[in-house]
PDB file of all heavy atoms in Angstrom:
ATOM      1  N   LEU A  59      14.847  78.570 149.457  1.00  0.00           N
ATOM      2  CA  LEU A  59      15.531  79.911 149.142  1.00  0.00           C
ATOM      3  C   LEU A  59      16.662  79.751 148.119  1.00  0.00           C
ATOM      4  O   LEU A  59      17.261  78.749 147.974  1.00  0.00           O
ATOM      5  CB  LEU A  59      16.061  80.399 150.452  1.00  0.00           C
ATOM      6  CG  LEU A  59      15.200  80.731 151.614  1.00  0.00           C
ATOM      7  CD1 LEU A  59      16.030  81.052 152.818  1.00  0.00           C
ATOM      8  CD2 LEU A  59      14.273  81.880 151.260  1.00  0.00           C
ATOM      9  N   TYR A  61      20.336  80.431 146.865  1.00  0.00           N
ATOM     10  CA  TYR A  61      21.628  80.672 147.597  1.00  0.00           C
ATOM     11  C   TYR A  61      22.798  80.598 146.520  1.00  0.00           C
ATOM     12  O   TYR A  61      22.523  80.292 145.348  1.00  0.00           O
ATOM     13  CB  TYR A  61      21.875  79.714 148.770  1.00  0.00           C
ATOM     14  CG  TYR A  61      22.481  78.313 148.357  1.00  0.00           C
ATOM     15  CD1 TYR A  61      23.543  77.941 148.991  1.00  0.00           C
ATOM     16  CD2 TYR A  61      21.785  77.516 147.463  1.00  0.00           C
ATOM     17  CE1 TYR A  61      24.153  76.680 148.646  1.00  0.00           C
ATOM     18  CE2 TYR A  61      22.336  76.278 147.116  1.00  0.00           C
ATOM     19  CZ  TYR A  61      23.567  75.845 147.752  1.00  0.00           C
ATOM     20  OH  TYR A  61      24.051  74.563 147.385  1.00  0.00           O
ATOM     21  N   PHE A  64      27.194  77.332 147.140  1.00  0.00           N
ATOM     22  CA  PHE A  64      28.426  76.777 147.748  1.00  0.00           C
ATOM     23  C   PHE A  64      28.391  76.885 149.313  1.00  0.00           C
ATOM     24  O   PHE A  64      28.623  75.898 149.958  1.00  0.00           O
ATOM     25  CB  PHE A  64      29.671  77.744 147.368  1.00  0.00           C
ATOM     26  CG  PHE A  64      30.952  77.222 147.765  1.00  0.00           C
ATOM     27  CD1 PHE A  64      31.630  76.294 147.140  1.00  0.00           C
ATOM     28  CD2 PHE A  64      31.488  77.755 149.015  1.00  0.00           C
ATOM     29  CE1 PHE A  64      32.870  75.787 147.523  1.00  0.00           C
ATOM     30  CE2 PHE A  64      32.752  77.265 149.430  1.00  0.00           C
ATOM     31  CZ  PHE A  64      33.422  76.326 148.723  1.00  0.00           C
ATOM     32  N   ALA A  65      28.069  78.044 149.922  1.00  0.00           N
ATOM     33  CA  ALA A  65      28.100  78.147 151.399  1.00  0.00           C
ATOM     34  C   ALA A  65      26.896  77.552 152.019  1.00  0.00           C
ATOM     35  O   ALA A  65      25.688  77.921 151.633  1.00  0.00           O
ATOM     36  CB  ALA A  65      28.324  79.610 151.761  1.00  0.00           C
ATOM     37  N   LEU A  66      27.058  76.828 153.015  1.00  0.00           N
ATOM     38  CA  LEU A  66      25.885  76.360 153.851  1.00  0.00           C
ATOM     39  C   LEU A  66      25.498  77.370 154.779  1.00  0.00           C
ATOM     40  O   LEU A  66      26.354  78.208 155.292  1.00  0.00           O
ATOM     41  CB  LEU A  66      26.228  75.042 154.582  1.00  0.00           C
ATOM     42  CG  LEU A  66      26.445  73.752 153.759  1.00  0.00           C
ATOM     43  CD1 LEU A  66      26.961  72.706 154.609  1.00  0.00           C
ATOM     44  CD2 LEU A  66      25.137  73.396 153.010  1.00  0.00           C
ATOM     45  N   PRO A  67      24.230  77.526 155.185  1.00  0.00           N
ATOM     46  CA  PRO A  67      23.787  78.504 155.991  1.00  0.00           C
ATOM     47  C   PRO A  67      24.174  78.354 157.559  1.00  0.00           C
ATOM     48  O   PRO A  67      24.577  77.320 157.979  1.00  0.00           O
ATOM     49  CB  PRO A  67      22.232  78.407 155.908  1.00  0.00           C
ATOM     50  CG  PRO A  67      21.954  77.042 155.611  1.00  0.00           C
ATOM     51  CD  PRO A  67      23.085  76.587 154.744  1.00  0.00           C
ATOM     52  N   LEU A  68      24.118  79.428 158.272  1.00  0.00           N
ATOM     53  CA  LEU A  68      24.238  79.457 159.734  1.00  0.00           C
ATOM     54  C   LEU A  68      22.910  79.532 160.391  1.00  0.00           C
ATOM     55  O   LEU A  68      22.083  80.412 159.887  1.00  0.00           O
ATOM     56  CB  LEU A  68      25.227  80.609 160.172  1.00  0.00           C
ATOM     57  CG  LEU A  68      26.687  80.506 159.787  1.00  0.00           C
ATOM     58  CD1 LEU A  68      27.409  81.814 160.026  1.00  0.00           C
ATOM     59  CD2 LEU A  68      27.367  79.381 160.461  1.00  0.00           C
ATOM     60  N   VAL A  69      22.679  78.816 161.434  1.00  0.00           N
ATOM     61  CA  VAL A  69      21.340  78.841 162.042  1.00  0.00           C
ATOM     62  C   VAL A  69      21.510  79.264 163.486  1.00  0.00           C
ATOM     63  O   VAL A  69      22.422  79.046 164.221  1.00  0.00           O
ATOM     64  CB  VAL A  69      20.836  77.329 161.972  1.00  0.00           C
ATOM     65  CG1 VAL A  69      19.461  77.289 162.773  1.00  0.00           C
ATOM     66  CG2 VAL A  69      20.720  76.857 160.608  1.00  0.00           C
ATOM     67  N   SER A  70      20.451  80.136 163.964  1.00  0.00           N
ATOM     68  CA  SER A  70      20.458  80.587 165.264  1.00  0.00           C
ATOM     69  C   SER A  70      20.230  79.438 166.200  1.00  0.00           C
ATOM     70  O   SER A  70      19.632  78.381 165.901  1.00  0.00           O
ATOM     71  CB  SER A  70      19.310  81.629 165.429  1.00  0.00           C
ATOM     72  OG  SER A  70      18.015  80.996 165.100  1.00  0.00           O
ATOM     73  N   ASN A  75      16.010  81.116 162.803  1.00  0.00           N
ATOM     74  CA  ASN A  75      16.539  81.982 161.864  1.00  0.00           C
ATOM     75  C   ASN A  75      17.797  81.323 161.146  1.00  0.00           C
ATOM     76  O   ASN A  75      18.559  80.628 161.773  1.00  0.00           O
ATOM     77  CB  ASN A  75      16.927  83.325 162.341  1.00  0.00           C
ATOM     78  CG  ASN A  75      15.753  84.190 162.853  1.00  0.00           C
ATOM     79  OD1 ASN A  75      15.019  84.705 161.969  1.00  0.00           O
ATOM     80  ND2 ASN A  75      15.534  84.223 164.141  1.00  0.00           N
ATOM     81  N   ALA A  76      17.906  81.582 159.854  1.00  0.00           N
ATOM     82  CA  ALA A  76      19.131  81.120 159.082  1.00  0.00           C
ATOM     83  C   ALA A  76      19.777  82.256 158.300  1.00  0.00           C
ATOM     84  O   ALA A  76      19.029  82.939 157.593  1.00  0.00           O
ATOM     85  CB  ALA A  76      18.762  79.912 158.232  1.00  0.00           C
ATOM     86  N   ALA A  77      21.028  82.340 158.403  1.00  0.00           N
ATOM     87  CA  ALA A  77      21.765  83.368 157.552  1.00  0.00           C
ATOM     88  C   ALA A  77      22.238  82.622 156.272  1.00  0.00           C
ATOM     89  O   ALA A  77      22.868  81.561 156.419  1.00  0.00           O
ATOM     90  CB  ALA A  77      23.006  83.872 158.346  1.00  0.00           C
ATOM     91  N   VAL A  78      21.838  83.152 155.176  1.00  0.00           N
ATOM     92  CA  VAL A  78      22.024  82.479 153.854  1.00  0.00           C
ATOM     93  C   VAL A  78      22.876  83.358 152.954  1.00  0.00           C
ATOM     94  O   VAL A  78      22.623  84.552 152.830  1.00  0.00           O
ATOM     95  CB  VAL A  78      20.694  82.150 153.136  1.00  0.00           C
ATOM     96  CG1 VAL A  78      20.921  81.481 151.869  1.00  0.00           C
ATOM     97  CG2 VAL A  78      19.853  81.293 154.073  1.00  0.00           C
ATOM     98  N   GLN A  79      23.950  82.722 152.301  1.00  0.00           N
ATOM     99  CA  GLN A  79      24.662  83.524 151.305  1.00  0.00           C
ATOM    100  C   GLN A  79      23.942  83.475 150.078  1.00  0.00           C
ATOM    101  O   GLN A  79      23.882  82.409 149.308  1.00  0.00           O
ATOM    102  CB  GLN A  79      26.070  82.828 151.150  1.00  0.00           C
ATOM    103  CG  GLN A  79      27.114  83.561 150.296  1.00  0.00           C
ATOM    104  CD  GLN A  79      27.753  84.709 150.955  1.00  0.00           C
ATOM    105  OE1 GLN A  79      28.418  84.436 152.002  1.00  0.00           O
ATOM    106  NE2 GLN A  79      27.784  85.877 150.465  1.00  0.00           N
ATOM    107  N   ALA A 104      21.276  87.218 153.449  1.00  0.00           N
ATOM    108  CA  ALA A 104      20.028  87.489 153.898  1.00  0.00           C
ATOM    109  C   ALA A 104      19.628  86.616 155.028  1.00  0.00           C
ATOM    110  O   ALA A 104      20.262  85.462 155.194  1.00  0.00           O
ATOM    111  CB  ALA A 104      18.893  87.327 152.783  1.00  0.00           C
ATOM    112  N   ALA A 106      16.748  84.282 156.922  1.00  0.00           N
ATOM    113  CA  ALA A 106      15.521  83.604 156.599  1.00  0.00           C
ATOM    114  C   ALA A 106      14.826  83.230 157.804  1.00  0.00           C
ATOM    115  O   ALA A 106      15.370  82.386 158.575  1.00  0.00           O
ATOM    116  CB  ALA A 106      15.753  82.427 155.655  1.00  0.00           C
ATOM    117  N   LEU A 108      12.512  80.946 159.998  1.00  0.00           N
ATOM    118  CA  LEU A 108      12.191  79.545 159.788  1.00  0.00           C
ATOM    119  C   LEU A 108      10.998  79.130 160.675  1.00  0.00           C
ATOM    120  O   LEU A 108      10.500  77.966 160.535  1.00  0.00           O
ATOM    121  CB  LEU A 108      13.427  78.588 160.142  1.00  0.00           C
ATOM    122  CG  LEU A 108      14.671  78.814 159.357  1.00  0.00           C
ATOM    123  CD1 LEU A 108      15.740  77.900 159.775  1.00  0.00           C
ATOM    124  CD2 LEU A 108      14.315  78.657 157.824  1.00  0.00           C
ATOM    125  N   LEU A 126      29.791  84.728 154.298  1.00  0.00           N
ATOM    126  CA  LEU A 126      29.295  84.109 155.531  1.00  0.00           C
ATOM    127  C   LEU A 126      30.406  83.518 156.358  1.00  0.00           C
ATOM    128  O   LEU A 126      31.316  82.895 155.842  1.00  0.00           O
ATOM    129  CB  LEU A 126      28.212  83.040 155.168  1.00  0.00           C
ATOM    130  CG  LEU A 126      27.231  82.636 156.239  1.00  0.00           C
ATOM    131  CD1 LEU A 126      26.431  83.910 156.692  1.00  0.00           C
ATOM    132  CD2 LEU A 126      26.285  81.614 155.642  1.00  0.00           C
ATOM    133  N   GLY A 127      30.411  83.783 157.677  1.00  0.00           N
ATOM    134  CA  GLY A 127      31.392  83.187 158.480  1.00  0.00           C
ATOM    135  C   GLY A 127      31.224  81.823 158.916  1.00  0.00           C
ATOM    136  O   GLY A 127      30.484  80.993 158.224  1.00  0.00           O
ATOM    137  N   ARG A 128      31.848  81.307 160.020  1.00  0.00           N
ATOM    138  CA  ARG A 128      31.832  79.984 160.313  1.00  0.00           C
ATOM    139  C   ARG A 128      30.934  79.612 161.560  1.00  0.00           C
ATOM    140  O   ARG A 128      30.663  78.421 161.837  1.00  0.00           O
ATOM    141  CB  ARG A 128      33.226  79.444 160.664  1.00  0.00           C
ATOM    142  CG  ARG A 128      34.195  79.491 159.496  1.00  0.00           C
ATOM    143  CD  ARG A 128      35.522  79.107 159.925  1.00  0.00           C
ATOM    144  NE  ARG A 128      35.543  77.755 160.576  1.00  0.00           N
ATOM    145  CZ  ARG A 128      36.283  77.459 161.666  1.00  0.00           C
ATOM    146  NH1 ARG A 128      37.128  78.338 162.284  1.00  0.00           N
ATOM    147  NH2 ARG A 128      36.198  76.254 162.204  1.00  0.00           N
ATOM    148  N   TRP A 153      20.416  88.904 164.456  1.00  0.00           N
ATOM    149  CA  TRP A 153      19.431  88.146 163.708  1.00  0.00           C
ATOM    150  C   TRP A 153      18.228  89.127 163.285  1.00  0.00           C
ATOM    151  O   TRP A 153      17.310  88.641 162.590  1.00  0.00           O
ATOM    152  CB  TRP A 153      18.809  87.091 164.659  1.00  0.00           C
ATOM    153  CG  TRP A 153      19.913  86.001 164.908  1.00  0.00           C
ATOM    154  CD1 TRP A 153      20.502  85.721 166.023  1.00  0.00           C
ATOM    155  CD2 TRP A 153      20.490  85.082 163.934  1.00  0.00           C
ATOM    156  NE1 TRP A 153      21.355  84.656 165.866  1.00  0.00           N
ATOM    157  CE2 TRP A 153      21.337  84.271 164.608  1.00  0.00           C
ATOM    158  CE3 TRP A 153      20.176  84.872 162.612  1.00  0.00           C
ATOM    159  CZ2 TRP A 153      22.065  83.256 164.005  1.00  0.00           C
ATOM    160  CZ3 TRP A 153      20.984  83.891 161.907  1.00  0.00           C
ATOM    161  CH2 TRP A 153      21.848  83.090 162.524  1.00  0.00           C
ATOM    162  N   PRO A 270      33.689  74.135 156.004  1.00  0.00           N
ATOM    163  CA  PRO A 270      32.315  74.045 155.587  1.00  0.00           C
ATOM    164  C   PRO A 270      31.416  73.380 156.748  1.00  0.00           C
ATOM    165  O   PRO A 270      30.178  73.419 156.489  1.00  0.00           O
ATOM    166  CB  PRO A 270      32.349  73.082 154.344  1.00  0.00           C
ATOM    167  CG  PRO A 270      33.825  73.122 153.901  1.00  0.00           C
ATOM    168  CD  PRO A 270      34.542  73.257 155.196  1.00  0.00           C
ATOM    169  N   ILE A 271      31.949  72.747 157.624  1.00  0.00           N
ATOM    170  CA  ILE A 271      31.165  72.049 158.567  1.00  0.00           C
ATOM    171  C   ILE A 271      30.533  72.978 159.638  1.00  0.00           C
ATOM    172  O   ILE A 271      31.137  73.734 160.251  1.00  0.00           O
ATOM    173  CB  ILE A 271      32.037  70.939 159.392  1.00  0.00           C
ATOM    174  CG1 ILE A 271      32.589  69.922 158.369  1.00  0.00           C
ATOM    175  CG2 ILE A 271      31.270  70.269 160.428  1.00  0.00           C
ATOM    176  CD1 ILE A 271      33.597  68.961 158.973  1.00  0.00           C
ATOM    177  N   ARG A 272      29.191  72.862 159.646  1.00  0.00           N
ATOM    178  CA  ARG A 272      28.391  73.857 160.420  1.00  0.00           C
ATOM    179  C   ARG A 272      27.994  73.132 161.789  1.00  0.00           C
ATOM    180  O   ARG A 272      27.491  73.825 162.756  1.00  0.00           O
ATOM    181  CB  ARG A 272      27.116  74.300 159.740  1.00  0.00           C
ATOM    182  CG  ARG A 272      27.332  75.027 158.545  1.00  0.00           C
ATOM    183  CD  ARG A 272      28.029  76.417 158.819  1.00  0.00           C
ATOM    184  NE  ARG A 272      28.019  77.296 157.671  1.00  0.00           N
ATOM    185  CZ  ARG A 272      29.074  77.891 157.233  1.00  0.00           C
ATOM    186  NH1 ARG A 272      30.239  77.654 157.917  1.00  0.00           N
ATOM    187  NH2 ARG A 272      29.003  78.749 156.241  1.00  0.00           N
ATOM    188  N   THR A 273      28.206  71.868 161.940  1.00  0.00           N
ATOM    189  CA  THR A 273      27.770  71.127 163.099  1.00  0.00           C
ATOM    190  C   THR A 273      28.959  70.194 163.640  1.00  0.00           C
ATOM    191  O   THR A 273      30.056  70.389 163.236  1.00  0.00           O
ATOM    192  CB  THR A 273      26.611  70.236 162.758  1.00  0.00           C
ATOM    193  OG1 THR A 273      26.975  69.339 161.627  1.00  0.00           O
ATOM    194  CG2 THR A 273      25.328  70.983 162.248  1.00  0.00           C
ATOM    195  N   ILE A 354      21.334  67.761 154.679  1.00  0.00           N
ATOM    196  CA  ILE A 354      22.480  68.012 155.490  1.00  0.00           C
ATOM    197  C   ILE A 354      22.078  68.759 156.790  1.00  0.00           C
ATOM    198  O   ILE A 354      21.390  69.886 156.672  1.00  0.00           O
ATOM    199  CB  ILE A 354      23.444  69.046 154.774  1.00  0.00           C
ATOM    200  CG1 ILE A 354      23.871  68.392 153.396  1.00  0.00           C
ATOM    201  CG2 ILE A 354      24.681  69.359 155.535  1.00  0.00           C
ATOM    202  CD1 ILE A 354      24.586  69.386 152.558  1.00  0.00           C
ATOM    203  N   PRO A 355      22.385  68.296 157.970  1.00  0.00           N
ATOM    204  CA  PRO A 355      22.101  68.992 159.196  1.00  0.00           C
ATOM    205  C   PRO A 355      22.929  70.254 159.323  1.00  0.00           C
ATOM    206  O   PRO A 355      24.167  70.052 159.143  1.00  0.00           O
ATOM    207  CB  PRO A 355      22.382  67.929 160.343  1.00  0.00           C
ATOM    208  CG  PRO A 355      23.394  67.059 159.719  1.00  0.00           C
ATOM    209  CD  PRO A 355      23.105  66.913 158.258  1.00  0.00           C
ATOM    210  N   VAL A 356      22.336  71.386 159.604  1.00  0.00           N
ATOM    211  CA  VAL A 356      23.160  72.585 159.784  1.00  0.00           C
ATOM    212  C   VAL A 356      22.922  73.299 161.056  1.00  0.00           C
ATOM    213  O   VAL A 356      23.457  74.318 161.398  1.00  0.00           O
ATOM    214  CB  VAL A 356      22.810  73.627 158.637  1.00  0.00           C
ATOM    215  CG1 VAL A 356      23.244  73.073 157.239  1.00  0.00           C
ATOM    216  CG2 VAL A 356      21.330  73.882 158.612  1.00  0.00           C
ATOM    217  N   GLY A 357      21.968  72.760 161.966  1.00  0.00           N
ATOM    218  CA  GLY A 357      21.785  73.421 163.245  1.00  0.00           C
ATOM    219  C   GLY A 357      20.713  72.683 164.013  1.00  0.00           C
ATOM    220  O   GLY A 357      20.008  71.761 163.598  1.00  0.00           O
ATOM    221  N   VAL A 365      17.620  71.428 162.052  1.00  0.00           N
ATOM    222  CA  VAL A 365      17.374  72.075 160.828  1.00  0.00           C
ATOM    223  C   VAL A 365      18.289  71.476 159.839  1.00  0.00           C
ATOM    224  O   VAL A 365      19.495  71.229 160.000  1.00  0.00           O
ATOM    225  CB  VAL A 365      17.715  73.484 160.921  1.00  0.00           C
ATOM    226  CG1 VAL A 365      17.531  74.169 159.529  1.00  0.00           C
ATOM    227  CG2 VAL A 365      16.789  74.243 161.956  1.00  0.00           C
ATOM    228  N   VAL A 366      17.684  71.021 158.761  1.00  0.00           N
ATOM    229  CA  VAL A 366      18.440  70.258 157.712  1.00  0.00           C
ATOM    230  C   VAL A 366      18.159  70.990 156.349  1.00  0.00           C
ATOM    231  O   VAL A 366      17.063  71.611 156.233  1.00  0.00           O
ATOM    232  CB  VAL A 366      18.009  68.833 157.645  1.00  0.00           C
ATOM    233  CG1 VAL A 366      18.473  68.019 158.833  1.00  0.00           C
ATOM    234  CG2 VAL A 366      16.460  68.598 157.303  1.00  0.00           C
ATOM    235  N   VAL A 367      19.134  70.992 155.459  1.00  0.00           N
ATOM    236  CA  VAL A 367      18.889  71.651 154.142  1.00  0.00           C
ATOM    237  C   VAL A 367      19.248  70.629 153.032  1.00  0.00           C
ATOM    238  O   VAL A 367      20.114  69.742 153.180  1.00  0.00           O
ATOM    239  CB  VAL A 367      19.743  72.892 154.063  1.00  0.00           C
ATOM    240  CG1 VAL A 367      19.362  73.967 154.994  1.00  0.00           C
ATOM    241  CG2 VAL A 367      21.253  72.506 154.132  1.00  0.00           C
ATOM    242  N   PRO A 369      20.628  71.010 149.165  1.00  0.00           N
ATOM    243  CA  PRO A 369      20.990  71.918 147.994  1.00  0.00           C
ATOM    244  C   PRO A 369      20.486  71.330 146.612  1.00  0.00           C
ATOM    245  O   PRO A 369      20.706  70.163 146.395  1.00  0.00           O
ATOM    246  CB  PRO A 369      22.557  71.842 148.073  1.00  0.00           C
ATOM    247  CG  PRO A 369      22.877  71.170 149.351  1.00  0.00           C
ATOM    248  CD  PRO A 369      21.809  70.375 149.734  1.00  0.00           C
ATOM    249  N   LEU A 374      18.146  76.271 148.088  1.00  0.00           N
ATOM    250  CA  LEU A 374      18.263  75.439 149.340  1.00  0.00           C
ATOM    251  C   LEU A 374      16.888  75.110 149.879  1.00  0.00           C
ATOM    252  O   LEU A 374      16.103  76.039 150.106  1.00  0.00           O
ATOM    253  CB  LEU A 374      19.021  76.258 150.462  1.00  0.00           C
ATOM    254  CG  LEU A 374      20.574  76.086 150.494  1.00  0.00           C
ATOM    255  CD1 LEU A 374      21.040  76.967 151.695  1.00  0.00           C
ATOM    256  CD2 LEU A 374      20.920  74.656 150.668  1.00  0.00           C
ATOM    257  N   GLU A 375      16.506  73.844 150.016  1.00  0.00           N
ATOM    258  CA  GLU A 375      15.311  73.502 150.703  1.00  0.00           C
ATOM    259  C   GLU A 375      15.603  73.299 152.225  1.00  0.00           C
ATOM    260  O   GLU A 375      16.505  72.551 152.618  1.00  0.00           O
ATOM    261  CB  GLU A 375      14.712  72.147 150.015  1.00  0.00           C
ATOM    262  CG  GLU A 375      14.368  72.325 148.650  1.00  0.00           C
ATOM    263  CD  GLU A 375      13.633  71.015 148.211  1.00  0.00           C
ATOM    264  OE1 GLU A 375      13.236  70.233 148.996  1.00  0.00           O
ATOM    265  OE2 GLU A 375      13.633  70.818 146.905  1.00  0.00           O
ATOM    266  N   PHE A 376      14.765  73.902 153.082  1.00  0.00           N
ATOM    267  CA  PHE A 376      14.944  73.788 154.452  1.00  0.00           C
ATOM    268  C   PHE A 376      13.841  72.936 155.050  1.00  0.00           C
ATOM    269  O   PHE A 376      12.720  72.953 154.578  1.00  0.00           O
ATOM    270  CB  PHE A 376      14.793  75.260 155.164  1.00  0.00           C
ATOM    271  CG  PHE A 376      16.005  76.089 155.061  1.00  0.00           C
ATOM    272  CD1 PHE A 376      16.278  76.801 153.941  1.00  0.00           C
ATOM    273  CD2 PHE A 376      16.872  76.327 156.084  1.00  0.00           C
ATOM    274  CE1 PHE A 376      17.278  77.658 153.744  1.00  0.00           C
ATOM    275  CE2 PHE A 376      17.974  77.088 155.948  1.00  0.00           C
ATOM    276  CZ  PHE A 376      18.165  77.805 154.794  1.00  0.00           C
TER     277      PHE A 376
END
Side-chain angles (χ1 to χ4, degrees):
L59 297 172
Y61 86 121
F64 187 84
L66 291 174
L68 292 171
V69 178
S70 60
N75 292 284
V78 180
Q79 187 85 51
L108 301 179
L126 201 57
R128 295 179 53 220
W153 293 112
I271 296 172
R272 297 293 192 234
T273 55
I354 304 167
V356 291
V365 177
V366 296
V367 296
L374 270 180
E375 294 185 19
F376 283 80

